[in-house]
Amino acid sequence: MTMERRAFLSTVAVAGGGLAVGGVGRLEASPARVPRRLRILVLGGTGFIGPHQVAFALDRGHTVTLFNRGRTAPELFPDVEQLRGDRAAGDLGELGGAREWDVVMDNAATDPRWVREAAQLLKDRAGQYIFISTQSVYTSRAEIGMDETAPVGRPDLPREEWTGYGPSKALAEEEAQRAFPGRATIVRPSLIVGPGDETDRWTYWPVRVHRGGNVVVPGTPRDPMQFIDARDLSEWLVRLAENGTAGVFNAVGPEAPLTSAEMFYGLRAVTSTPVSFTWVDADFLREMGVRAWSDMPAWQVPRGATAGFARMSNARALEAGLTFRPLADTGRDTLEWFLGQPPERRERLRAGLSPERERWLLAAWRVRMGGTE
Amino acid sequence: MATRRQFVAGATAAGLGLGLGRFPASGQAGKEMEGRAGVGGTRRRPGLQDVPRAPRPLRILILGGTGFLGPSQVDYALARGHTLTLFNRGRTAPDLFPGVETLLGDRAEGDYASLSGRTWDAVIDNSANVAPWVMDSVQVLKDAAGRYLFVSSISAHSDNSVIGQDENGPVFSEADYHEAVASGVSPGAAFGQHKAQAERETFKAFGDRGIVVRPGLIVGPGDRSDRFTYWPVRIDGGGEVLAPGDGTDWAQIVDVRDMGRFMVHLVEQEASGTFNATGPEAPLTMAGMLYGIRAITSTPVTFTWVAADFLREHRVGAWMEMPVWVYPEPQTRGFSAYDCSKAMAAGLTFRPLADTARDTLEWLKAKPEEERTLRTGLAPEKEKTILAAWHARNG
């Protein structure tokens, strides 16, 4: 799982060059401007959530500065101040000096060194440090209903040996908290979805449902699903800045538990295409070599080591003002964004089953269920 | 043989505190087409800006036109560039279409004088729930109109025990109709018999210039019967929602705007014959419908599926108290499983469920507070009581 998530992340970074901004700037209701205008420094800002975040922050009347390499979609916000540097090379040059910000939003870091360097450099010149972490920090996902106090990283190992995506993010969280004690906000999103997602990890579903016919869906109709619309996340991050909220938060949605049946029928509701669903048993999927998460996106087997994967508590985030758009909005906007991509981008989804493999799987499942294919 | 109408009447009687007083009028209980819009002159016609104009503009006479279904036909027909005449009593929402000619007359009185001397390419008859009205109107119009589209009902079918019934499934016979009339049953209670008889009158007068459409449950913004509206409203209200059965029972509904468009389309195509017309295209279960509606709202909501037998014990009425749903029984197996492939082949299309649900919810929310009370659905206290009893039984 962890490796898969990490692999996906590198895909995002590589694929980011082709980012389309169809989903950006489509804020449905322009929110009222806040009385206090913040100076926000965004580390990154041109990937998947960044553009939503920046657009919302600008809409709220804040002043935004972007800091990045200038390689990913540098033309995205021509009117926003851009500082250049390369955290991988330890080059924070343009962040030096006496410049002050109210809030730093660190979107782009997995390596704890990146966070240590940026946070230490900015700790006396910024009021709040919002670090976008991940659900992958948790040591285990076996428990149901885990909150932010659950263990992170690899408690069985000394910190020097914490490697891999989740443990690295856990160390990075510590760096943020060390530099900004009581002023750090650690946000741990689950799968981030919506228009602009170049991984297709959730996009697969609205696109697949819209294609119609018999859709293979994983597990049982009661399996839990958790994810968060990039826009809900981004808007909340800005509100966390406005409210100066510190602490650690699971950023998972929706508000009430969502079952797989509710998600798939909800996605069906945004299209006119005739469609039916066949839930294929988790054990059968494994037997057939169909992998949770990558082949069956957004889903993990809801038992054993991943029993709690999609049943994380979001109570604290709700308390801190996290809200969710209707699933139909996320589904429709994601679908429309994808359908607006160039044909070569649309040709093959980057996650999920290919049509051929899905047909084969469905046939195999029918045979297993006693049919004759 | 339990008919759709008998069934619906029975379901109503079973609903405690759901007397006919909650219907618009006794004769209209459960009818499939006309509600009362009462939207006034503030109609919005979203989504019709991009409708291409018809290659050949038609002169269309609409009998009725200001109820629930009528306005969707008018909106679409106007967008297509047709010229419309409405014929009605001038009582229901007379200001709805100020730019459209309205001829006055009362079908209950057989008063069609205002139609005389005029001709039309097509007639769409929305407003007849009693066969004699159609008997009169087709005689008046058979030489004055090219085509006559009669809005019948899926209730014209006399047997709901068959899954996947198409237009050839049995309908109430002439004898059924005469028997109902002779026995003094009200037209409301013999809705299907009247509709079936009116279908025959249509074809008798118009032959292959006759079109009969049998809609199922028509839903959407403007529906004053609330027979679907309950669900978007209830789900948007959040919390624990009582859902009927186990989620696998069939649901069939059709958006009023899809239906209006289809009827105009049939007239344009010079279609003839009979069309069962409900939706959606692929079979929909109650779970599919309710979870689809959930998708339009952010409100936290959970569904508790309560077994049909338990609902019966607690005297929950199908259809009106549990809208769209009927108790799954041998004689109702096909109630929401009609085969509408002929209509689809003839151009019936369906907008996404999310559009229907959202537009319906927004329409209801835009009404003045005092007009928002629903005519259908479980009373909140009853829902709570049954849910508590259900949880108690299941530990």
Side-chain angles (χ1 to χ4, degrees):
Chain A
M1 212 303 297
T2 294
M3 285 316 292
E4 281 168 14
R5 281 182 80 102
R6 191 184 193 179
F8 272 121
L9 278 195
S10 25
T11 310
V12 181
V14 172
L19 177 98
V21 293
V24 177
R26 298 186 59 245
L27 301 168
E28 303 208 342
S30 195
R33 297 201 163 205
V34 284
R36 195 164 68 100
R37 191 179 160 121
L38 299 175
R39 296 160 299 163
I40 301 176
L41 170 65
V42 178
L43 309 184
T46 55
F48 174 28
I49 66 166
H52 296 299
Q53 216 176 22
V54 173
F56 187 75
L58 294 174
D59 219 45
R60 295 281 282 174
H62 303 305
T63 304
V64 176
T65 305
L66 301 185
F67 172 83
N68 54 48
R69 295 169 305 165
R71 291 202 201 148
T72 306
E75 73 296 342
L76 205 51
F77 294 105
D79 299 331
V80 170
E81 181 192 17
Q82 316 254 346
L83 301 181
R84 294 285 172 245
D86 185 347
R87 297 172 79 180
D91 164 22
L92 301 180
E94 294 193 12
L95 290 179
R99 199 57 198 281
E100 291 187 351
W101 287 275
D102 297 301
V103 184
V104 180
M105 292 191 182
D106 187 351
N107 289 344
T110 296
D111 187 336
R113 177 179 62 82
W114 292 24
V115 179
R116 181 169 61 244
E117 291 172 356
Q120 291 296 335
L121 182 66
L122 293 162
K123 65 182 177 185
D124 298 324
R125 292 188 282 123
Q128 182 182 7
Y129 197 95
I130 300 180
F131 176 63
I132 317 306
S133 184
T134 171
Q135 290 281 296
S136 296
V137 294
Y138 290 111
T139 306
S140 156
R141 312 285 194 98
E143 305 277 322
I144 292 171
M146 291 197 315
D147 65 18
E148 292 81 353
T149 61
V152 299
R154 294 290 307 271
D156 55 323
L157 296 175
R159 275 178 165 57
E160 306 81 69
E161 293 174 34
W162 288 17
T163 55
Y165 179 64
S168 297
K169 278 285 206 181
L171 291 173
E173 288 185 357
E174 289 179 356
E175 296 293 349
Q177 279 164 325
R178 188 170 299 129
F180 284 78
R183 297 183 290 139
T185 312
I186 308 297
V187 174
R188 297 174 178 159
S190 54
L191 181 63
I192 306 172
V193 309
D197 179 12
E198 293 294 345
T199 73
D200 295 342
R201 282 180 296 178
W202 189 80
T203 306
Y204 172 78
W205 290 119
V207 170
R208 175 64 195 90
V209 170
H210 179 67
R211 203 173 80 225
N214 198 341
V215 180
V216 168
V217 290
T220 79
R222 292 169 305 284
D223 288 0
M225 308 296 286
Q226 279 185 329
F227 50 87
I228 185 166
D229 188 303
R231 298 161 300 177
D232 293 329
L233 174 62
S234 302
E235 291 163 19
W236 182 54
L237 291 169
V238 172
R239 292 199 299 275
L240 288 172
E242 291 170 357
N243 299 328
T245 311
V248 183
F249 300 95
N250 286 336
V252 303
E255 186 165 346
L258 183 76
T259 65
S260 144
E262 288 168 333
M263 186 178 99
F264 292 121
Y265 286 128
L267 292 177
R268 174 187 163 147
V270 306
T271 171
S272 293
T273 317
V275 62
S276 61
F277 299 105
T278 299
W279 271 272
V280 175
D281 175 72
D283 292 333
F284 185 77
L285 290 176
R286 188 169 24 219
E287 187 186 327
M288 292 289 116
V290 175
R291 294 163 302 169
W293 196 253
S294 51
D295 291 335
M296 284 284 116
W299 173 82
Q300 290 284 7
V301 182
R303 49 175 201 258
T306 46
F309 183 87
R311 285 181 276 206
M312 299 294 292
S313 167
N314 58 11
R316 201 189 274 187
L318 293 176
E319 189 82 7
L322 177 59
T323 58
F324 306 94
R325 334 168 121 48
L327 171 60
D329 288 6
T330 302
R332 189 180 325 226
D333 294 347
T334 304
L335 181 61
E336 280 176 2
W337 166 78
F338 186 80
L339 296 177
Q341 297 299 299
E344 59 276 16
R345 169 69 178 87
R346 278 185 279 123
E347 202 171 319
R348 194 157 276 268
L349 286 155
R350 294 168 179 162
L353 294 175
S354 68
E356 305 75 37
R357 192 141 176 255
E358 187 190 41
R359 268 197 298 278
W360 168 82
L361 183 66
L362 201 53
W365 176 243
R366 285 192 183 130
V367 171
R368 171 62 56 92
M369 293 304 283
T372 50
E373 190 63 25
Chain B
M1 194 162 62
T3 72
R4 191 178 175 96
R5 293 297 313 138
Q6 284 161 353
F7 175 76
V8 168
T12 305
L16 283 183
L18 260 179
L20 291 177
R22 294 188 72 174
F23 291 93
S26 64
Q28 294 163 18
K31 73 189 179 138
E32 312 302 329
M33 345 86 59
E34 293 277 301
R36 291 290 175 263
V39 191
T42 57
R43 283 185 69 72
R44 283 166 58 239
R45 298 177 180 87
L48 290 175
Q49 304 86 333
D50 301 328
V51 171
R53 294 176 79 82
R56 191 167 68 91
L58 301 174
R59 296 161 302 142
I60 302 175
L61 169 66
I62 294 185
L63 308 185
T66 57
F68 172 36
L69 175 58
S72 71
Q73 298 161 347
V74 174
D75 287 342
Y76 185 75
L78 290 176
R80 293 284 283 167
H82 301 308
T83 303
L84 298 184
T85 305
L86 309 185
F87 173 82
N88 54 49
R89 297 169 304 164
R91 291 203 203 147
T92 304
D95 306 323
L96 199 53
F97 300 108
V100 173
E101 179 191 28
T102 298
L103 301 176
L104 295 182
D106 187 346
R107 303 181 75 180
E109 306 293 330
D111 168 17
Y112 293 95
S114 64
L115 300 181
S116 72
R118 297 280 302 269
T119 61
W120 289 274
D121 297 307
V123 181
I124 299 178
D125 180 356
N126 288 317
S127 60
N129 293 338
V130 294
W133 292 16
V134 179
M135 230 175 287
D136 291 346
S137 58
V138 293
Q139 291 309 319
V140 168
L141 290 162
K142 68 179 178 186
D143 298 323
R147 276 194 147 58
Y148 194 99
L149 187 156
F150 173 64
V151 180
S152 182
S153 164
I154 206 82
S155 296
H157 283 286
S158 54
D159 179 2
N160 287 294
S161 69
V162 180
I163 293 203
Q165 248 183 133
D166 65 13
E167 293 75 4
N168 300 314
V171 297
F172 287 104
S173 67
E174 187 121 22
D176 294 332
Y177 167 70
H178 289 300
E179 190 189 317
V181 172
S183 64
V185 177
S186 76
F191 181 74
Q193 289 90 329
H194 276 270
K195 283 292 192 187
Q197 184 66 12
E199 292 183 359
R200 284 185 287 271
E201 297 294 344
T202 300
F203 289 123
K204 213 180 292 170
F206 277 83
D208 61 9
R209 296 182 295 131
I211 307 169
V212 163
V213 178
R214 297 182 186 142
L217 180 61
I218 305 178
V219 308
D223 179 11
R224 288 287 305 278
S225 82
D226 295 336
R227 285 174 299 173
F228 167 79
T229 309
Y230 169 75
W231 289 117
V233 170
R234 176 64 194 88
I235 290 166
D236 184 57
E240 184 182 12
V241 174
L242 189 157
D246 63 2
T248 65
D249 298 324
W250 298 120
Q252 277 189 320
I253 52 173
V254 60
D255 189 294
V256 62
R257 296 159 295 182
D258 294 329
M259 185 53 61
R261 180 200 157 281
F262 175 59
M263 289 171 169
V264 173
H265 178 78
L266 287 177
V267 162
E268 289 177 358
Q269 300 301 309
E270 303 187 321
S272 68
T274 304
F275 300 89
N276 286 349
T278 184
E281 189 166 346
L284 183 71
T285 59
M286 282 301 292
M289 188 182 84
L290 298 187
Y291 295 163
I293 296 169
R294 176 191 162 141
I296 67 160
T297 172
S298 294
T299 317
V301 58
T302 58
F303 294 93
T304 299
W305 295 92
V306 177
D309 287 343
F310 195 81
L311 293 178
R312 209 189 310 267
E313 280 170 38
H314 285 78
R315 312 200 57 174
V316 171
W319 197 248
M320 295 308 282
E321 264 193 308
M322 277 287 106
V324 185
W325 180 78
V326 298
Y327 282 98
E329 291 164 353
Q331 66 269 31
T332 59
R333 291 168 68 237
F335 186 88
S336 291
Y338 276 88
D339 178 346
C340 300
S341 50
K342 185 181 170 195
M344 292 176 214
L348 176 58
T349 57
F350 307 94
R351 69 196 58 216
L353 172 60
D355 289 5
T356 300
R358 192 178 326 226
D359 295 347
T360 303
L361 184 61
E362 282 175 2
W363 163 76
L364 190 93
K365 283 181 165 177
K367 297 212 290 188
E369 175 101 46
E370 63 276 12
E371 290 172 31
R372 268 182 252 154
T373 309
L374 292 175
R375 297 161 192 269
T376 66
L378 274 182
E381 320 78 61
K382 188 170 177 181
E383 185 189 45
K384 275 198 194 66
T385 306
I386 296 172
L387 284 172
W390 175 251
H391 292 309
R393 167 176 298 193
N394 294 285

